[in-house]
Amino acid sequence: MTARGSTEPASALPVLQERLAAALDAARQAWPGVSLEGPRFAAHLARLVPADGDEAAWGKLHMVDVYLARAAADGLPSALATFEARLMPEVDAAVSRLKLPAAGLDEVRQLLRQRMLVGSADAPARLAAYPGTGPLAGWVRAAALWLALDWQRQRSGQAQSEDGDLSMLVAPGDDPELAYLKQTYRAEFSASFTAALAALSARQRNFLRLKYLDGLGIDQLGALYGVHRSTAARWVVGAQEELLDGTRQRLTERLRLTRSQLDSVLRLISSQLDVSLSRLLRTHSE
């Protein structure tokens, strides 16, 4: 196996092959009946281990969990059955303190299955992005808790009242004019942001949600889409810039302000919207 397209020196190949063989053997012993092909496992590991990865880098990966995640993301029936039996109980453990009703717990389970195992044309199965740096069970618990909290917010009405506009950006140190603009033009801002978000492609919206709502890093996004981290970073930055530019353009068209006021609003958008994307995207999520 060569990591991320690199060419290993001939002297390193035996060591690399031994590591891969050992990882494959351990994974198949841990998950009997789950038969992910060796080359497929090797190609996936190449996205997770640095090209110059030494024994320490390999040792940090939870190899048996990486194997199961890749197999389940590929839709292998044995892996899906194992995921259901061994990892879906983590959902109950993660959200028990939230005391969700039975219907809520069932919905969270279904959402988790959909996102982790199925995905869509624009957002592949989330398990493909599992980085292997922590136990898979913990990764699943974190995802389940996030979904459960989101379910609670939506049912309690907080999603509608949780500052989906400029008023969310009011800070104690704001000057009076800026605070006034934030409060006064929140409806225009919300409409502009929503229109700019809708104008993005489905894939661009997914990039932003994966990063800002699901907390995936650039390396995880690259692994999810099977591209180098620099490509994933470029995609995310491009989607974010298009969203910000679209919001500014639409807000400018909607507002009837003096030049000074318009400059203040645009300065606000430029400086603060990028750090508020996670809350805004959650409020406007489809």
Side-chain angles (χ1 to χ4, degrees):
M1 181 187 81
T2 57
R4 292 178 182 164
S6 66
T7 302
E8 293 287 346
S11 60
L13 286 177
V15 174
L16 195 57
Q17 289 169 345
E18 287 179 10
R19 289 175 181 169
L20 177 58
L24 195 58
D25 183 60
R28 287 175 173 169
Q29 287 187 38
W31 312 115
V34 179
S35 299
L36 181 66
E37 294 182 353
R40 178 62 169 162
F41 186 42
H44 186 62
L45 286 178
R47 301 191 189 104
L48 301 178
V49 183
D52 58 351
D54 55 14
E55 187 173 356
W58 278 74
K60 291 177 182 178
L61 287 183
H62 291 247
M63 290 291 186
V64 298
D65 285 352
V66 170
Y67 179 92
L68 179 63
R70 180 69 267 174
D74 285 351
L76 296 185
S78 56
L80 296 176
T82 300
F83 183 90
E84 187 72 25
R86 300 287 291 274
L87 292 169
M88 283 305 294
E90 298 294 339
V91 177
D92 296 3
V95 306
S96 60
R97 67 182 178 82
L98 299 180
K99 302 187 184 305
L100 296 185
L105 185 56
D106 285 344
E107 188 171 340
V108 169
R109 288 196 192 102
Q110 284 301 106
L111 285 170
L112 186 74
R113 290 187 184 100
Q114 173 67 30
R115 295 191 182 188
M116 289 284 179
L117 301 171
V118 181
S120 66
D122 295 302
R126 217 57 65 83
L127 278 181
Y130 167 60
T133 52
L136 181 58
W139 205 67
V140 171
R141 282 197 300 272
L145 183 57
W146 188 272
L147 289 170
L149 289 170
D150 191 49
W151 188 91
Q152 275 193 332
R153 278 192 289 266
Q154 291 181 15
R155 297 309 181 279
S156 67
Q158 290 179 16
Q160 285 70 39
S161 63
E162 201 175 75
D163 298 322
D165 49 52
L166 277 179
S167 62
M168 69 182 290
L169 302 179
V170 174
D174 278 346
D175 63 75
E177 181 189 24
L178 201 54
Y180 170 78
L181 290 174
K182 289 177 181 181
Q183 294 287 353
T184 302
Y185 296 106
R186 59 176 181 252
E188 286 81 359
F189 173 81
S190 183
S192 298
F193 182 88
T194 301
L197 183 62
L200 297 179
S201 69
R203 173 165 284 196
Q204 286 177 311
R205 288 194 294 273
N206 273 314
F207 292 155
L208 295 178
R209 287 176 181 135
L210 287 167
K211 176 174 173 56
Y212 289 100
L213 298 189
D214 294 334
L216 296 190
I218 295 302
D219 288 319
Q220 293 168 284
L221 286 168
L224 182 63
Y225 284 91
V227 297
H228 191 273
R229 69 185 313 276
S230 62
T231 300
R234 187 168 63 252
W235 286 351
V236 170
V237 170
Q240 178 175 317
E241 289 181 347
E242 189 167 332
L243 175 59
L244 297 179
D245 289 344
T247 302
R248 293 187 195 103
Q249 178 182 345
R250 289 168 174 79
L251 189 60
T252 300
E253 293 170 352
R254 286 174 176 273
L255 299 181
R256 295 293 182 268
L257 302 175
T258 66
R259 180 59 181 270
S260 173
Q261 289 174 324
L262 182 58
D263 287 346
S264 294
V265 171
L266 295 181
R267 185 170 63 251
L268 167 70
I269 298 301
S270 298
S271 65
Q272 296 188 25
L273 180 56
D274 57 340
V275 299
S276 305
L277 274 172
S278 59
R279 293 174 65 189
L280 287 163
L281 284 167
R282 177 166 298 283
T283 301
H284 293 81
S285 62
E286 295 174 352

